[in-house]
Amino acid sequence: QKSCALFRHAPRNCPSAAAIDRFGTMPHATAYGIVAVQALFFFLGGIRDNFMTGKVIMPDEEYLQSWWYGVPLGTSETHSDRMECTANGWGTFIGIIALTKIAVALTGGKTTLAKTLGTLYVLGNIWTIKVFLPMNDLMEAHWTNKKNNPAMENKGSVTPFCAMLAIESICWIVAQGLVTEPPKPKIH
């Protein structure tokens, strides 16, 4: 019986075949792109923002962390208790969203609920990109001010973050067939 799970066309009396019929197929290859993006977000939000608050990991982050925590460039680990609480709260929220997206992506994403969530994730990503991109101009104005950044160095960007969300959105659309097979709500 265990070996029948390894075959896509398992006999109908195989418990694995029944599960595949009920819950859909294996995830599309692009689902692993979603997992990769969200694993990074889970690490940065769920882990780093709760256990290493203010720690700079990626190159653009020194700039972003300093701006977010309201501290001079290079001192994001020395922030207030208020910012610690804010980072922990948002980090937990980001971590939960990341784990939910990973779980939905790995289910195969073909159920009505998975497709509905996938659609919401794509729309949420588009909105997040829309509200995050203006941050580049705000940070540019802040850090090109000699008072805030005398060395005039290390200008960060939210563009890589937005690019990851755009790639993830494309992965959702392809993995779930959201264009060719949109969600069909069942009304009882």
Side-chain angles (χ1 to χ4, degrees), residues 48-94:
R48 192 267 315 272
D49 287 348
N50 276 284
F51 301 105
M52 302 177 286
T53 311
K55 178 87 173 149
V56 174
I57 295 173
M58 298 188 307
D60 285 346
E61 280 194 319
E62 182 175 8
Y63 177 82
L64 296 170
Q65 292 278 18
S66 298
W67 187 70
W68 170 254
Y69 291 114
V71 295
L73 192 62
T75 62
S76 59
E77 292 187 63
T78 58
H79 51 271
S80 69
D81 290 341
R82 179 183 63 83
M83 287 311 298
E84 178 78 15
C85 289
T86 301
N88 292 169
W90 278 111
T92 301
F93 186 65
I94 290 166

Side-chain angles (χ1 to χ4, degrees), residues 37 41 129 133 158-170:
V37 168
F41 287 144
I129 291 167
L133 282 176
V158 295
T159 305
F161 170 76
C162 292
M164 287 193 303
L165 289 178
I167 290 167
E168 180 196 329
S169 295
I170 292 167

Side-chain angles (χ1 to χ4, degrees), residues 101-125:
K101 286 182 173 185
I102 289 169
V104 172
L106 291 178
T107 65
K110 298 296 184 181
T111 65
T112 301
L113 176 60
K115 285 187 172 197
T116 301
L117 289 171
T119 302
L120 292 173
Y121 295 150
V122 170
L123 294 173
N125 287 349

Side-chain angles (χ1 to χ4, degrees), residues 5-66:
L6 300 175
F7 301 102
R8 175 166 253 181
H9 302 291
R12 286 290 171 217
N13 63 351
C14 176
S16 301
I20 287 172
D21 285 345
R22 183 166 179 217
F23 297 111
T25 60
M26 292 294 294
H28 189 278
T30 55
Y32 299 104
I34 297 165
V35 172
V37 168
Q38 288 306 314
L40 177 63
F41 287 144
F42 177 75
F43 175 73
L44 293 176
I47 304 297
R48 192 267 315 272
D49 287 348
N50 276 284
F51 301 105
M52 302 177 286
T53 311
K55 178 87 173 149
V56 174
I57 295 173
M58 298 188 307
D60 285 346
E61 280 194 319
E62 182 175 8
Y63 177 82
L64 296 170
Q65 292 278 18
S66 298

Side-chain angles (χ1 to χ4, degrees), residues 3 31 39 79 96 99 111 177:
S3 64
H79 51 271
I96 290 168
L99 288 176
T111 65

